[in-house]
Amino acid sequence: MRRAVLVCLALSILVFGACSKFEETETGRFEYGIKLLKKGDKAGALDQFRIIDSLYPQSPYGAYGRTIVNEKENFLLESVQGLINLTGKHEDFLPGYRSLAELYLRLGWFDPAMETAARCRQMNMDKTATADLIIKILMAKGELKKAESLLDSLKSLSVSSPGLSLSEARLRINRGDFSQALKIARDIRRQESGGKDLVVELGRIYADLGWVDSAAALYRKTAEQNRDDYFAQAEMAEALIEISYLGDAQKILKRLTKDSLDVYRVHDVKIRLLEKKGEPFEALKLGREMIPLFADEISAVVRYAGLCVKAGDATNAQRFIENAGSYAVRDSLDDRIQDEIAYYQLKSYMGENNWLMADAVMQRNQEQMPRDFNTLYLFADIDYAANKRTEAEIIVQEISALTGDNPFHHAALGELYNRYDSVRVAEIYFDKALEIDKYNISAILGKMSLAAKQSRYQEALEFLSRQGEYAGFNSRIFPEKALLLKKSGRYDLLAAYMDTVITRGPGAIPRYRLALRIDIEMNGGKRAEELLEKMLKANPDDSDANLTAGEYYLARADYDKARDYVERVQKESPENSRATLFMAQIEEGSGQIIRASELYHKIITEDPLNGPAYGALARITLEQNGDMRDIMNFGRQAIKYDPNPEHLVTLGRAFMKQSRWKAAARHFELALEKAPDKAEYAYYYGQALIKEGEVVKAREYLTQALNKGLSGAMKTEAERALQKL
């Protein structure tokens, strides 16, 4: 009896403990759901929100919770639709309007963002919070004077907040007052005010001013302080990827990966990491694994379509973006969401220079899409690319009426004219942008580009120096400045400059890779090992750092050292296809052709879109006098999935073996167009032209090959052929 009483008592304690996790109200369950979501328990959170719907059918909190889940998962289109539905049903639900305004802002839908923020103000929302939101929207719209005026009026009333301080820092940058902007940012960081929600913007201010390592330290610290917040850590990983601190992002992702199959966000961050590493096929492979689990989420479908475009899989890109559009129509989603899907489709194609597909889609959807700046700009870009200059100019006139004092629009128009060789007009627009926003990175890069096009390298460098001490270390600008210094032949200045660039971002491996390439091209690689040592000391466990070292030694045929670095990566990440590719190349270079072929076959089995592996198999099969059908199949797959012109040469050589001189010549010509400085390509083209009977052209290209430094047996053959001609 006594034992039964104890059991009942224990059960009652457990039940009480379970119930005491939250207050049994709609808001209590909502807060508990958010708590579960922070832990990464998405299913548990959704259960709580469903219970709210059941127990409190008139409550907005169940639907609101689901919009938060979608926002955390980066399903922004679904979250927007949920908030539109929610605020339509609960017109006095202030948190819904605030969230909707912020999401509109994230999506770049500035007019509805401003309308919704104004609604928040009418509902007596906290004035400081509303003003902070409105200022952010004004700044994003490019209405900098209005934003500054509103901020000044608030300061005169002694109204302040960390968010307003960040806006002031950003506006100081726009005015060219960099030192004061940095001081404000450092004050916010020192006071640790504003919480994690403002950390990303604070880090971006540091990064924009060239202090990338300070931004990374801030993101790492925030991730460590929020170990109990799953999505806050994911956000910090995304921020680290943005500044190319990929090793730090990888460490956070390892913590988040456990038991996260139902959470899309962590997989999306992994995909971003792979994209940043320049591995579009690996990104597509992961996306392909995830899409069946999230096929009902339009945002995930659109995202996967974008991955297909980047990997050159136009067929699936078209299929999935059309699926997203049909889902939006089926579910009667807001017109803006349907327009966004159509816009994204066009932008994706143009981002991959597939203007033919973009033009076809535009012709089909043009009448239904809105006539806002971004959409019209895209239409003009497509028309210019399709050589429809008259149509493009008509659209540009319509765009100009929408530009006003928006420096971002002026810079965008400058970029458009610069792309299509209207240099004088481009410069006018870049100058207008810089009059309004003195630190408009796009306009600065545009002005540098205009000078560089005319080989006025010193003028471009002098222009950059006038933009202030911080501009030269901005992540978008420093590669262009390095290129200008290289073209000017100033290796002494360039080496010192790259050392400073690395010092400001020692965790960003692309900086070392750029410094390595410059040193090899301009200095014979004399500092290469010093740079590698510095990189590995700062990033000892970074797979990208070890693969960079492995790639360097592979290119120099030092296969033992290359193998050592690649094996370090394989030990930690056996599935790393880039490491497997390098190992295959090491085996090939070491003469282990059978083992190399096995590895290349393993790669294409696991990743059917891996162009370099197909290219290697085509080359090996050709050199081993293998089956011509295999050579042609591997070569065509290589060309389809990898832009490396070597694959064109391999196919050209295969056509030569088949006495198909015209096809061979065409492939060599295409390779030469992509890499005009390659002496071997000119040699192969010249030999194919001889077979076609094009004697004059053959003589021209064989002579070019010799002048470009052709060596060895090819040089001997070229000289012999010229004597015969």
Side-chain angles (χ1 to χ4, degrees):
M1 179 69 180
R2 184 169 178 268
R3 184 177 177 185
V5 170
L6 288 172
V7 170
C8 290
L9 181 61
L11 286 171
S12 67
I13 290 170
L14 286 170
V15 171
F16 178 78
C19 293
S20 65
K21 289 178 184 175
F22 55 86
E23 182 185 352
E24 185 46 80
T25 63
E26 56 186 303
T27 54
R29 281 195 178 272
F30 171 78
E31 288 166 4
Y32 181 55
I34 296 300
K35 185 177 179 181
L36 291 173
L37 186 61
K38 282 186 175 182
K39 292 179 179 179
D41 186 359
K42 174 180 162 183
L46 288 170
D47 282 342
Q48 291 303 316
F49 302 143
R50 278 192 288 268
I51 291 170
I52 293 172
D53 290 340
S54 177
L55 296 179
Y56 310 97
Q58 300 305 313
S59 171
Y61 282 98
Y64 185 48
R66 284 189 291 277
T67 68
I68 292 173
V69 171
N70 281 329
E71 184 269 329
K72 295 294 184 187
E73 285 278 60
N74 271 347
F75 297 152
L76 302 189
L77 299 179
E78 288 82 354
S79 188
V80 163
Q81 185 63 54
L83 287 165
I84 290 171
N85 295 342
L86 175 64
T87 51
K89 185 176 179 181
H90 300 275
E91 295 183 359
D92 59 347
F93 188 62
L94 182 56
Y97 285 101
R98 169 78 191 201
S99 296
L100 184 56
E102 289 175 339
L103 270 179
Y104 281 148
L105 176 58
R106 282 181 67 181
L107 288 165
W109 303 354
F110 302 131
D111 290 338
M114 187 61 79
E115 291 167 12
T116 311
R119 178 67 183 268
C120 291
R121 186 167 51 188
Q122 291 170 2
M123 297 171 72
N124 295 318
M125 183 179 172
D126 175 66
K127 300 298 183 188
T128 303
T130 308
D132 179 19
L133 178 57
I134 289 172
I135 287 171
K136 285 196 288 187
I137 295 168
L138 288 170
M139 289 169 63
K141 287 181 71 176
E143 296 182 10
L144 305 183
K145 290 179 181 177
K146 286 184 181 179
E148 195 164 357
S149 176
L150 178 54
L151 184 61
D152 288 343
S153 68
L154 290 168
K155 286 173 68 178
S156 69
L157 298 172
S158 300
V159 176
S160 64
S161 73
L164 291 173
S165 295
L166 272 178
S167 293
E168 182 181 2
R170 180 59 71 186
L171 286 166
R172 293 274 187 175
I173 291 172
N174 298 140
R175 289 207 304 256
D177 190 354
F178 305 125
S179 298
Q180 187 60 27
L182 202 54
K183 180 180 180 301
I184 293 169
R186 284 171 175 160
D187 286 344
I188 297 169
R189 183 179 181 184
R190 186 171 57 252
Q191 295 163 14
E192 296 193 346
S193 56
K196 63 180 176 57
D197 295 334
L198 296 179
V199 163
V200 173
E201 181 55 31
L202 179 57
R204 282 178 179 151
I205 287 174
Y206 277 122
D208 280 352
L209 296 175
W211 295 103
V212 178
D213 204 45
S214 296
L218 181 63
Y219 298 150
R220 284 193 299 262
K221 182 178 179 182
T222 304
E224 191 62 33
Q225 289 174 338
N226 289 274
R227 274 189 173 245
D228 59 343
D229 189 332
Y230 188 93
F231 289 98
Q233 290 189 78
E235 189 174 356
M236 292 306 106
E238 285 178 334
L240 286 160
I241 291 168
E242 189 176 295
I243 60 171
S244 296
Y245 270 57
L246 307 185
D248 287 323
Q250 185 70 56
K251 288 174 186 174
I252 295 173
L253 283 170
K254 282 183 179 178
R255 292 204 298 263
L256 299 179
T257 301
K258 298 173 184 176
D259 304 320
S260 62
L261 195 61
D262 69 328
V263 179
Y264 178 80
R265 180 73 171 269
V266 69
H267 302 289
D268 188 44
V269 178
K270 283 183 181 177
I271 288 169
R272 291 174 195 272
L273 180 68
L274 291 167
E275 288 180 301
K276 193 74 170 184
K277 285 184 175 183
E279 299 179 25
F281 302 110
E282 283 294 297
L284 181 63
K285 181 182 174 184
L286 180 55
R288 192 165 53 237
E289 291 171 7
M290 298 314 301
I291 197 66
L293 301 174
F294 300 97
D296 292 333
E297 308 292 351
I298 290 175
S299 296
V301 175
V302 170
R303 178 89 170 95
Y304 183 66
L307 294 175
C308 291
V309 171
K310 289 177 182 176
D313 188 357
T315 302
N316 274 318
Q318 177 82 358
R319 180 163 68 91
F320 277 93
I321 202 72
E322 286 179 355
N323 286 349
S326 64
Y327 296 162
V329 173
R330 178 197 66 193
D331 298 337
S332 301
L333 299 189
D334 188 84
D335 287 346
R336 280 172 294 214
I337 294 176
Q338 297 188 42
D339 292 339
E340 181 73 7
I341 293 169
Y343 173 79
Y344 182 83
Q345 183 180 20
L346 291 176
K347 193 172 181 182
S348 295
Y349 286 131
M350 287 303 289
E352 297 305 308
N353 295 317
N354 190 347
W355 61 265
L356 278 171
M357 186 66 78
D359 188 44
V361 174
M362 181 181 75
Q363 297 303 327
R364 189 167 65 243
N365 298 330
Q366 194 168 10
E367 295 302 319
Q368 289 78 39
M369 294 180 72
R371 311 289 290 182
D372 58 23
F373 180 90
N374 288 340
T375 306
L376 290 171
Y377 182 88
L378 193 53
F379 289 168
D381 197 10
I382 293 168
D383 279 336
Y384 273 124
N387 205 27
K388 300 176 183 176
R389 299 190 75 89
T390 303
E391 292 91 331
E393 289 295 337
I394 292 169
I395 295 174
V396 168
Q397 289 176 16
E398 189 176 347
I399 292 172
S400 299
L402 301 172
T403 299
D405 289 332
N406 188 320
F408 311 129
H409 289 179
H410 284 301
L413 284 168
E415 289 174 345
L416 187 68
Y417 279 110
N418 190 15
R419 268 200 302 279
Y420 300 107
D421 296 324
S422 298
V423 173
R424 184 185 61 81
V425 181
E427 188 154 26
I428 291 170
Y429 277 110
F430 289 140
D431 286 338
K432 283 182 180 178
L434 288 168
E435 283 174 18
I436 305 163
D437 175 8
K438 296 186 185 302
Y439 200 59
N440 188 297
I441 302 301
S442 295
I444 292 171
L445 286 169
K447 291 274 287 185
M448 291 167 63
S449 168
L450 292 177
K453 270 186 176 182
Q454 300 169 50
S455 301
R456 304 193 327 259
Y457 307 127
Q458 189 57 40
E459 182 182 322
L461 289 166
E462 288 171 2
F463 163 76
L464 180 58
S465 70
R466 293 196 297 272
Q467 308 313 304
E469 59 180 304
Y470 299 102
F473 296 102
N474 177 276
S475 295
R476 289 174 62 196
I477 289 177
F478 82 76
E480 301 306 316
K481 180 177 178 180
L483 183 61
L484 288 171
L485 286 167
K486 180 185 171 189
K487 287 181 175 178
S488 301
R490 299 298 306 275
Y491 180 73
D492 52 341
L493 290 177
L494 181 49
Y497 172 63
M498 286 308 302
D499 283 345
T500 307
V501 166
I502 287 171
T503 300
R504 290 193 175 207
I509 306 304
R511 297 178 178 227
Y512 297 96
R513 283 206 292 265
L514 177 60
L516 271 169
R517 190 167 74 246
I518 289 168
D519 184 67
I520 291 165
E521 291 174 4
M522 296 189 70
N523 194 36
K526 292 176 184 175
R527 293 187 63 221
E529 297 208 351
E530 175 193 334
L531 288 165
L532 288 171
E533 183 181 353
K534 186 186 291 188
M535 175 186 68
L536 292 163
K537 185 177 180 181
N539 306 275
D541 302 320
D542 190 307
S543 62
D544 218 24
N546 280 290
L547 287 177
T548 297
E551 187 176 21
Y552 169 79
Y553 287 113
L554 175 61
R556 272 138 199 81
D558 190 339
Y559 300 119
D560 289 339
K561 281 188 177 179
R563 188 186 300 274
D564 179 46
Y565 286 110
V566 173
E567 283 179 345
R568 292 183 195 181
V569 177
Q570 290 187 315
K571 185 177 179 181
E572 291 295 319
S573 306
E575 75 290 349
N576 189 307
S577 67
R578 189 168 161 225
T580 306
L581 180 65
F582 284 170
M583 189 57 74
Q585 291 169 342
I586 290 166
E587 299 290 8
E588 185 183 352
S590 303
Q592 303 299 316
I593 303 302
I594 295 174
R595 177 58 182 153
S597 294
E598 289 172 354
L599 288 172
Y600 288 130
H601 276 289
K602 178 177 183 286
I603 292 168
I604 63 171
T605 300
E606 295 175 355
D607 180 8
L609 304 180
N610 195 301
Y614 281 115
L617 284 169
R619 186 185 63 254
I620 288 173
T621 310
L622 178 66
E623 289 168 358
Q624 297 289 313
N625 293 314
D627 190 322
M628 190 58 69
R629 288 171 298 183
D630 288 340
I631 296 167
M632 301 307 292
N633 177 50
F634 290 143
R636 285 172 179 142
Q637 293 293 91
I639 290 169
K640 183 177 180 181
Y641 297 123
D642 184 27
N644 191 332
E646 284 290 334
H647 309 318
L648 290 163
V649 171
T650 300
L651 269 185
R653 290 168 58 204
F655 283 124
M656 291 285 280
K657 274 201 167 188
Q658 300 172 72
S659 302
R660 295 169 64 183
W661 317 123
K662 188 172 184 178
R666 179 60 183 149
H667 280 72
F668 295 140
E669 183 182 24
L670 288 171
L672 201 53
E673 285 174 8
K674 290 188 174 186
D677 295 330
K678 294 284 280 189
E680 312 93 273
Y681 296 0
Y683 164 78
Y684 282 125
Y685 188 34
Q687 293 285 22
L689 289 168
I690 290 173
K691 295 292 187 182
E692 277 203 282
E694 297 274 357
V695 176
V696 176
K697 280 182 74 175
R699 185 182 294 113
E700 176 190 345
Y701 281 97
L702 289 173
T703 304
Q704 274 188 31
L706 291 169
N707 292 339
K708 289 173 183 175
L710 195 67
S711 61
M714 285 186 183
K715 180 181 178 181
T716 304
E717 284 296 322
E719 289 171 341
R720 187 180 295 130
L722 280 171
Q723 286 174 358
K724 289 181 180 179
L725 293 176

